[in-house]
Every structure is written in structure tokens, then in C-alpha cells.
Amino acid sequence: MFSNVKKFKDTFYKRLEMLCGKSFDESTARDQYETLGHMIREFVSNDWIATNERYLAITGKQVYYLSIEYLLGKLLRQNLINLGVEALVEEGLRELGIDLNELEELEADAGLGNGGLGRLAACFLDSIASLNLPGHGHGIRYKHGLFEQKIVDGYQVELPEQWLRSGNVWEVRKADLAVKIRFWGKVEAKMEHNRLTFHHLNAETVTAVPYDMPVIGYESKTVNTLRLWNAEPSQFPIHDDILKYKRETEMISELLYPDDTHDEGKILRLKQQYFLVSASLQSILKAYRKQHGKLDQLHEHVCIHINDTHPVLAIPELMRILMDEEGLDWEQAWNITKNTISYTNHTTLSEALEKWPIRIFQPLLPRIYMIVEEINERFCHELWDETPGDWARIAGLAIIADGYVKMAHLAIVGSFSVNGVAKLHTEILKQREMKPFYQIFPEKFNNKTNGIAHRRWLLKANPKLATFLSELIGPSWIRSAEDLSQLMNYQNDTSVLEQLESIKKENKQELAQIILEKTGVSVDSGAIFDVQVKRLHAYKRQLLNILHIMHLYNRIKEDASYSMVPRVFIFGAKASPGYYYAKKIIKLINSAAEIINHDPKVGDRMKVIFLENYRVSLAEKIFPAADVSEQISTASKEASGTGNMKFMINGALTLGTLDGANIEIRELVGDDNIFTFGLTSDEVLHYYQHGGYQSEGYYHHDYRIRQAVDQLVNGFFPGVYNEFEPIFDSLLEENDQYFVLKDFASYADTQLNVGEVFKDSMRWQKMSLANIANAGYFSSDRTIKEYAEDIWKINPL
Ligand code: 26V
């Protein structure tokens, strides 16, 4: 049906009538979208079935990726690209009078994630399938993804997200593969045939129903599966209050927690975690038993990867199944478990490390808690044998301590691999945050620098640039991103640099149009597009950016003739609904924008834009249009960052601290092709350990800082008296924990330099080219190859 344009059109015509029960002339755009979706499903179904059959037959290892988040975005065009039929479909639809872009607009973003962690999982799925690797994703089919953000009067307002409202063509419900999950109740130990057995009595049962989504590799025969679990009441609920039971059951897959912060004590969150893990493991082991019978060689054929600690209950759950259902003893079960599970850590921020109060954990998951206790007992014994009597050390490393279960400790002890997500991050794990664990298990620790699906973030998001690059160096970069390095041959080719410039200009015009539609502000596409898009967090320092913008405004006000390269400062950020401080920063950005954008004295010299509801599909329009990529976290705090890589591959220049993967970007492009500033991670960590930073001094001695900071509280912002006092206090009373004032001068100087360099457009384009040329390293294809070879030990089919 996709072999030529005529066949496509004929099939489309017929399929639409059958599916929608109306003639083509009567059809709506949504009918057409659904029809195309069904055609793609049908087209991949043979390969999907064949891929699954192969997986049942191979004896080599397979990986299961467990993640509480998948930030997939839209799938229609990416699927067409990967199937190699995008041009044909676009042409066929055009002949039918249909614009593919308009159909694409109808698709809802699958926004089942908060930010970098969830988007990383989505990028990994693309690379695993494209590399023909046997890998399966498991997650939760949240009815509501990350909230929709509206800005009302400068404040963030959250609305429930409704991605399933018009159905989801990409999923197939597999009711026959449903499994049961047990919560609450109590555990009874009995002697049976001379061994102690455990029985979970009076449990409340929930049914987990899988919805499978095809993961289509780029021009490959592999169609992998992302299995998302839906929570439903069990068929015959024995329950005194059936409505309450139904509601509580369905709540488990009702919504994605909008917090990439720590949700201590939210029982529903723990339920979600166990629900994902137990459903996934039951399904993995069912398939395994079919193929291998017994489970005693599981670790030889299966790797279960946990994305952060959210799915860490996979460790005790696997122990439970091996012992209670398979009848293995502790030693055997432990040996299999710790050789099956691998773990990625995504943050060193201690506030973000998950821990669960025993009083919540134990009653909800009584058998799992018993197993965690036993793992802890045995681990503490080993610690005691190493350093007898050192209670402080044992308490510090224990899995259960001070009334809490510490999920990261469980993950390290119960897995064979622990990886960080960028070189610096892994070093900080090994030398600081997890040092004592590294000393005990040095062989477990390794680094896997993050990557991005370059086929989404360049090929799909930036078609103009992608086409130009393919004309220049051939299309091999689409499969092998490292081939982008061939661009270095054109460093001094003025015509190439001019074409890069004009492509960027066109992309900026498109974004300017979006900005005009969404905000009513008209921006000049000749200005520097200076962009910071990411979740709002104190450590990411959107505050540094906006204080510097206020300073520039003050300069212009004091000296009407102040000359600067025109800038459009663009922000996109969702704040956690309960993160009071982060919401204040959003209001501050919008309040500053309101003043600056409407001050005739400023003119075209600067504009400040906050784009609401930042999400994957909006990101795809922003990255291609960016000149400057703001990556300004307090050094040591951003584990990796992945937005930095998306900007880079679209030719934006990084303005960043020496943090996360920024360091590796600098290593690749060289010091001349990046703008870095600020404290190093060693300096930051030294201040934290030994003190010695006084923000007050910077406030008093730097007029630029004092002027902008005072404006937070001196009535500069009309009608919001007291609004920004918490920000003012964080900088002075609380001694500026994120070194905003300390790094201000260095940031402002570097920004001046950015403006100077931009004036020399050929120099700028040459730098931009060097960034694109070196971005191949950050393809998630490279990252996934490293996981496959070093951790998972899986081979392409
Ligand atoms: C949690 C918390 C909780 C307390 C307040 C600060 C804070 C900050 C971040 C988080 C999220 C932790 C997990 C996470 O999403 N990490 C992100 O993972 C990305 C993919 O590896 C990586 O690029 C980001 O740097 C990292 O923040």
C-alpha cells in the first residue's frame, strides 16, 4: 500500500470509507489522520509479529527497559520517516488535497514524562529498534500525562492533560495478557514439605492490562514493543465497597506525577512503582518460561534495566517470584537477581534520592518488605565483617535506616551495574555521593554519557538543515551520526556557511511566527535567539538568566544610546505544581517580559518571550531556530542535560557552565567553539564543604547585581508588591545556595562576548558548523551501543 503514490491513494480512499463509514468527501481531518494511522499499523504488523517470533526463538540475551516515564511526543511523522515512506505519503496526501502537517497537528503529544529522564527513555527506544537490538520497553499507560501549562496573568496554571481523549491509534490492547498485582493483606509463613513457604493472604488485587505500542526502527525490519500497563479492577472483586475499590484501582494509572522532585510519602506513587514492576516481571517471566522452562539461568538470557530508582522494586519482586513461586533458595535467587538487574542513576541531588517511610511501605507491600529487610540484614552483616563495630558506617550504607527504605542503596546492592549519565556525573558518584559504595563494589560503576535520537531532533525537527547536510555530505549521517564529522571539510567554505546562515534565518522566521501567534509579540529574526528551555528548577538557574536580562534593560534605560546586538530571550519551562519558588521565577520572567516588551525605549534591542506549555512538539520547533543554548546550571548539579545536545546538533552555540555533558561538548568542539563561564564543580563542592561564600558581598560590591536584585522588592514591578520577596531572600538571607550572584559577573561578561562574536556572521557560522559536525557523538545510537556491549551484552539481530 506504500509501494507507489497511486496504490497509496487507492488504499487510503478505501480504508477511510471502511473505517469511518463515510465517503472521502465527507471526511474530516481527524478521519484522515485515523485512516493514515491504521494504514501504518497494518503496514508494520507483519514485521512486528515477525520480530516477536524471532525474540521467542533466539537464545541470545534480551533487555527489558523499565521506566516510570516515556516522553514520546508525536509519532506519526517519525514513523513515516523510519518506514522510509514520508515523501511518498506526503505526495499522495497532497494529491488528495490533504496537508500532512495538518494531520500531524491533530495528534496529541504522548507526554508521559517530566523532562530529561523520560525523553531519554523515548530516545533509547528509537535507537534500540534502529540498531536491531532485542529490547523491550515497559511503562505505565497514564490516562493523564504531564499537566498542560497555561500562563494566566503571568502565573502558571495547570490543567489536566488529555492525550487519550480522541483515542490512540498507536496502541493495541492485549486483554489476554493481563496479570494480577497484589497489595495490602498479610503474609503467613508455613512449613510445607520441610521448607518455609510464604502466603500472601487477604490481598487486594488489581488487574494490569498491557497496551502495546510498536517501536519502529529506522529503515530496519525490527519493530520492537513498548508495553504500557493500564490498571483496572479485577474481574470479580470481593469487596465491600465496589465503587471505592474501582476508583482506587483505576487511580494507579490515572496520572503521571508532575514532580521530578521527591514525593515523599505519596502512597499512590509507591503503588505505581510496584504496579509497573510486578506487571512487567510477570510478563517477562511468562515469556521466559515459555522459551526456557525453568528460571535458574535467567541472568544468562535476560537483563532488566531500571531507569533511575523508580522501578527498583524489580529487585525484591524478582526475589519473591524466584523463591515463592519457583522454589529456589535465597542464595540461588540472589545470585540470579543481582546478575539480572542493571541501574542508571540520574541525579546526585540528595533531595532527589528516593526513600520510602517503612510505615507506608510495609503495610502496602508486606512480602516485598520482608525481602528488602532480609537483603538489608545480609548486606549489613557483610559490612560488619569488613569493619566490625563501625556502626556509623553501617547505618550510613544500610538499605533500611531511620525508618526509611533507601531506594538507591537497594539499587546498588541488588544490581550488577550502576551507571552515571555523563563523565563528570559518574566521577561525582564515584568520588563523592556514592564513594563508600564505589569502594565496596568498584566493578559495578561505569559511565554512559547520554545521547539523543538525532533522527528526531535533526532529521525530523529540522528538515531544511537535514536536506542541506545530506546534499553536502550524503545521507549516511542519518544512520551513522558520526559521519557528520565530514562537515569539518567545509569550515572555510563561505557558500556553505552562508547557506547555514540562511537556513537558520528561515527557521527563526518560522519560530517568530509561532511567537507572534502565541504571545502577540513581534520579534526580529535578525536578532540573536537566545534560548533556555527545560524544567524550572533553582539549580538550573533561570534566575541568573532573567537577572541578567533585567540588568541589560537597566543599561538601556540609563543610556538610551546603549548599543547591543539585538536579542530575543526565549524561555520555556514547566514548574512542579507544588514548587512554590519555581512558580515565582515564572512570574518574574513574565513580569519582566511585560515591562521590557512594552517599553518603547527598548525598541528592537531586546524582547523576552515565555512560551507556555513547553513539550516535545514545541521543542522540535524551538531547537532548529536557536542561536544560543543556555546551559547555566550550578556546576556539579546537572547530571548530564540532553537539551544541550539537541541545540548543538541544530547548530546553536552553547553558553554554559562546566557541568554535566557541557564538559564533553567542550572537549569535542574545542574551547573556541563554546562559551563557558562560572565556578567549576570542584569550586562549588569546596564551598559546600568548607563554606566561604557570602552572597551579600557580591550584592554590595556589584552595582549591576544590586540594582537588579533590589528591583525584586522596591516596587519596580507594578502591582505585585511582595511577590518576589522569596526570590530576594533566597539570594541574600539564604546566602544564594546556587551561586547566582557569584557567577553573575562571569555570565554577563560572557554574554557581552557572545554579542561581539555574533557580529561576525561568518565566524559565528563556522562555530555553528563545528558544533553540528561534532554532535554525532551525542546520538543515542552511540549511547545504546555502549549499553548493549558493556552492560546488557546483547547483540543485533
Ligand atoms: C529531582 C529533584 C528533586 C529535588 C529537587 C531537585 C531535583 C532535581 C532533579 C530531579 C530529577 C532527578 C532525575 C532526573 O530527571 N534526572 C535528569 O536525568 C536526565 C537524563 O539522564 C539528565 O540529562 C538530567 O541532567 C537529570 O537532571
Side-chain angles (χ1 to χ4, degrees):
M1 68 182 110
F2 291 109
S3 53
N4 62 56
V5 173
K6 175 160 184 337
K7 274 215 181 103
F8 168 75
K9 287 197 302 185
D10 289 348
T11 318
F12 186 86
Y13 224 88
K14 284 197 207 106
R15 198 54 48 85
L16 185 142
E17 292 186 349
M18 285 195 308
L19 190 72
C20 308
K22 52 175 104 158
S23 73
F24 179 81
D25 293 339
E26 284 173 283
S27 67
T28 63
R30 177 155 304 280
D31 296 330
Q32 296 157 5
Y33 167 79
E34 294 288 330
T35 303
L36 183 56
H38 276 89
M39 284 173 67
I40 296 170
R41 267 175 62 163
E42 192 183 318
F43 186 58
V44 300
S45 61
N46 283 335
D47 284 346
W48 200 5
I49 293 166
T51 303
N52 282 324
E53 279 172 354
R54 258 178 289 156
Y55 291 158
L56 280 176
I58 60 167
T59 52
K61 248 184 161 180
Q62 305 188 33
V63 68
Y64 293 87
Y65 195 83
L66 270 48
S67 178
I68 204 91
E69 301 190 0
Y70 289 91
L71 200 42
L72 300 169
K74 302 190 188 211
L75 300 170
L76 176 62
R77 190 180 285 270
Q78 189 72 58
N79 283 343
L80 292 173
I81 291 173
N82 287 7
L83 291 169
V85 299
E86 184 198 22
L88 181 142
V89 167
E90 206 151 26
E91 170 63 22
L93 289 175
R94 195 179 309 117
E95 290 180 14
L96 291 171
I98 301 167
D99 180 353
L100 178 59
N101 289 316
E102 276 171 27
L103 299 193
E104 231 186 322
E105 286 301 311
L106 293 175
E107 182 174 12
D109 276 45
L112 310 184
N114 273 285
L117 175 143
R119 182 55 229 177
L120 187 74
C123 288
F124 280 5
L125 292 181
D126 179 275
S127 288
I128 291 171
S130 297
L131 295 168
N132 294 301
L133 287 165
H136 318 258
H138 280 262
I140 295 178
R141 182 179 177 269
Y142 303 105
K143 184 170 172 194
H144 305 286
L146 187 64
F147 67 85
E148 188 184 319
Q149 178 193 56
K150 281 254 169 326
I151 300 298
V152 179
D153 204 14
Y155 297 96
Q156 166 175 298
V157 174
E158 304 95 24
L159 304 175
E161 190 280 341
Q162 298 269 24
W163 71 297
L164 293 172
R165 192 170 25 201
S166 315
N168 173 12
V169 267
W170 308 118
E171 68 184 12
V172 184
R173 179 181 164 96
K174 299 263 173 79
D176 54 321
L177 299 181
V179 295
K180 291 200 163 30
I181 318 291
R182 289 177 166 74
F183 296 104
W184 310 108
K186 62 170 190 175
V187 176
E188 203 177 71
K190 271 200 290 200
M191 276 308 273
E192 279 176 345
H193 313 294
N194 269 338
R195 62 187 285 281
L196 204 52
T197 58
F198 296 90
H199 304 267
H200 194 166
L201 305 178
N202 300 323
E204 186 174 284
T205 305
V206 172
T207 300
V209 181
Y211 283 70
D212 285 357
M213 298 175 74
V215 183
I216 301 168
Y218 176 72
E219 296 193 348
S220 76
K221 285 259 149 209
T222 299
V223 179
N224 283 335
T225 301
L226 170 58
R227 176 159 286 179
L228 298 180
W229 294 96
N230 196 47
E232 300 176 13
S234 297
Q235 225 169 345
F236 302 108
I238 308 162
H239 214 278
D240 37 22
D241 186 343
I242 289 186
L243 283 180
K244 178 166 172 274
Y245 163 73
K246 181 172 184 294
R247 203 168 46 243
E248 280 180 3
T249 305
E250 289 167 350
M251 276 307 287
I252 295 174
S253 54
E254 188 74 9
L255 109 157
L256 167 79
Y257 271 87
D259 235 318
D260 51 1
T261 60
H262 189 49
D263 279 296
E264 193 191 301
K266 295 258 169 55
I267 202 162
L268 191 55
R269 171 79 175 187
L270 187 59
K271 266 187 152 178
Q272 288 185 335
Q273 296 186 350
Y274 182 67
F275 173 79
L276 165 65
V277 155
S278 181
S280 306
L281 275 169
Q282 291 184 56
S283 132
I284 294 166
L285 297 181
K286 205 186 279 178
Y288 185 87
R289 282 197 184 98
K290 228 195 232 175
Q291 201 185 352
H292 300 272
K294 292 200 305 190
L295 299 183
D296 56 337
Q297 302 294 314
L298 182 74
H299 55 293
E300 306 284 347
H301 306 108
V302 167
C303 182
I304 297 174
H305 196 90
I306 57 174
N307 193 27
D308 214 317
T309 54
H310 318 131
V312 76
L313 297 178
I315 292 165
E317 176 69 357
L318 183 53
M319 288 296 286
R320 181 188 71 77
I321 296 172
L322 292 172
M323 295 188 301
D324 297 0
E325 294 180 10
E326 196 74 5
L328 300 185
D329 64 27
W330 182 278
E331 305 296 339
Q332 288 173 302
W334 184 241
N335 184 53
I336 295 169
T337 299
K338 70 172 197 271
N339 285 302
T340 301
I341 308 280
S342 49
Y343 156 61
T344 298
N345 172 284
H346 292 269
T347 183
T348 53
L349 300 183
S350 50
E351 325 87 276
L353 295 180
E354 284 195 298
K355 50 181 189 168
W356 287 98
I358 296 171
R359 74 187 144 74
I360 286 178
F361 194 128
Q362 186 170 24
L364 182 70
L365 305 167
R367 178 62 183 137
I368 294 300
Y369 184 73
M370 284 173 74
I371 293 169
V372 174
E373 257 187 330
E374 182 71 22
I375 296 172
N376 181 51
E377 289 275 302
R378 288 173 184 244
F379 177 57
C380 290
H381 263 288
E382 286 168 26
L383 293 174
W384 175 271
D385 290 344
E386 279 173 28
T387 53
D390 190 347
W391 288 109
R393 172 172 182 260
I394 296 170
L397 299 184
I399 295 165
I400 305 177
D402 314 320
Y404 286 95
V405 183
K406 300 185 173 174
M407 308 304 248
H409 296 194
L410 178 57
I412 299 169
V413 173
S415 65
F416 68 89
S417 171
V418 177
N419 76 279
V421 291
K423 276 189 205 166
L424 174 71
H425 170 59
T426 301
E427 283 313 304
I428 293 175
L429 287 180
K430 294 201 297 195
Q431 304 307 332
R432 293 173 188 267
E433 295 316 313
M434 295 181 170
K435 186 167 183 177
F437 285 106
Y438 176 56
Q439 286 167 336
I440 303 170
F441 308 114
E443 71 291 345
K444 292 189 186 186
F445 285 75
N446 64 93
N447 178 56
K448 296 286 167 282
T449 297
N450 280 166
I452 57 164
H454 71 285
R455 285 172 293 271
R456 177 174 289 261
W457 296 107
L458 174 53
L459 181 64
K460 171 176 185 292
N462 197 343
K464 294 191 184 81
L465 180 59
T467 304
F468 176 61
L469 298 180
S470 291
E471 282 164 13
L472 208 57
I473 58 170
S476 67
W477 64 271
I478 299 170
R479 195 173 277 294
S480 312
E482 298 271 0
D483 288 355
L484 288 170
S485 63
Q486 291 167 30
L487 291 170
M488 288 308 267
N489 297 331
Y490 299 91
Q491 270 190 95
N492 299 310
D493 186 325
T494 319
S495 121
V496 166
L497 298 180
E498 281 168 357
Q499 291 188 72
L500 274 185
E501 185 178 27
S502 88
I503 289 168
K504 182 64 81 179
K505 184 80 187 267
E506 287 176 45
N507 290 336
K508 286 163 76 173
Q509 280 160 354
E510 281 177 30
L511 184 60
Q513 188 55 39
I514 293 171
I515 290 173
L516 182 63
E517 281 160 22
K518 308 241 166 197
T519 68
V521 180
S522 142
V523 301
D524 169 14
S525 59
I528 300 176
F529 277 24
D530 180 322
V531 187
Q532 187 172 21
V533 284
K534 49 181 80 250
R535 281 299 285 262
L536 215 142
H537 262 297
Y539 83 83
K540 294 179 189 280
R541 298 200 296 192
Q542 284 92 350
L543 179 57
L544 175 58
N545 190 344
I546 194 65
L547 283 178
H548 173 254
I549 290 169
M550 288 165 63
H551 155 65
L552 287 180
Y553 175 69
N554 293 333
R555 285 278 349 216
I556 292 173
K557 294 296 273 188
E558 280 169 5
D559 174 4
S561 71
Y562 180 69
S563 128
M564 61 178 271
V565 185
R567 291 259 187 161
V568 180
F569 292 98
I570 298 167
F571 292 87
K574 288 181 180 175
S576 204
Y579 194 171
Y580 175 76
Y581 181 80
K583 291 177 139 181
K584 290 278 173 193
I585 306 274
I586 290 180
K587 174 65 177 167
L588 175 61
I589 295 168
N590 285 312
S591 302
E594 185 68 22
I595 292 176
I596 294 168
N597 296 344
H598 295 107
D599 190 332
K601 289 226 175 66
V602 173
D604 257 356
R605 276 178 285 187
M606 61 193 281
K607 289 279 176 284
V608 182
I609 303 297
F610 188 99
L611 286 173
E612 71 183 4
N613 204 28
Y614 179 60
R615 62 196 184 282
V616 172
S617 58
L618 183 57
E620 288 174 23
K621 295 168 178 148
I622 295 174
F623 289 119
D627 296 308
V628 175
S629 156
E630 297 262 2
Q631 307 300 334
I632 59 178
S633 53
T634 308
S636 80
K637 299 277 180 190
E638 189 70 271
S640 161
T642 44
N644 46 4
M645 303 166 187
K646 295 164 196 165
F647 280 109
M648 179 190 185
I649 207 166
N650 281 286
L653 304 189
T654 304
L655 165 54
T657 47
L658 293 174
D659 200 14
N662 299 350
I663 293 180
E664 288 160 74
I665 293 179
R666 185 177 71 156
E667 281 172 12
L668 284 161
V669 299
D671 231 351
D672 295 343
N673 294 311
I674 187 169
F675 301 97
T676 56
F677 73 96
L679 290 171
T680 63
S681 59
D682 281 341
E683 288 166 339
V684 168
L685 295 167
H686 190 272
Y687 277 126
Y688 281 133
Q689 259 175 11
H690 304 284
Y693 172 51
Q694 293 265 309
S695 63
E696 232 186 347
Y698 292 84
Y699 169 80
H700 284 299
H701 294 118
D702 190 329
Y703 171 68
R704 300 168 300 179
I705 293 178
R706 195 165 67 249
Q707 191 181 24
V709 169
D710 282 346
Q711 284 167 337
L712 297 173
V713 290
N714 69 7
F716 171 81
F717 293 106
V720 284
Y721 188 69
N722 274 355
E723 179 82 46
F724 303 125
E725 218 162 72
I727 301 176
F728 182 89
D729 289 346
S730 76
L731 292 171
L732 295 167
E733 242 99 295
E734 294 155 33
N735 197 32
D736 183 18
Q737 292 302 298
Y738 297 97
F739 302 94
V740 173
L741 305 190
K742 174 87 194 164
D743 277 349
F744 183 91
S746 163
Y747 179 66
D749 291 346
T750 310
Q751 277 287 28
L752 273 177
N753 186 228
V754 167
E756 283 310 304
V757 175
F758 191 80
K759 286 184 192 163
D760 181 348
S761 68
M762 284 302 100
R763 177 172 171 202
W764 186 276
Q765 291 308 325
K766 192 173 167 182
M767 293 171 75
S768 173
L769 183 84
N771 273 270
I772 303 168
N774 285 289
Y777 178 78
F778 294 114
S779 166
S780 47
D781 291 352
R782 186 269 312 153
T783 312
I784 285 299
K785 279 183 203 152
E786 292 180 5
Y787 276 90
E789 279 166 29
D790 302 343
I791 303 178
W792 302 336
K793 313 284 185 203
I794 57 172
N795 295 308
L797 247 58

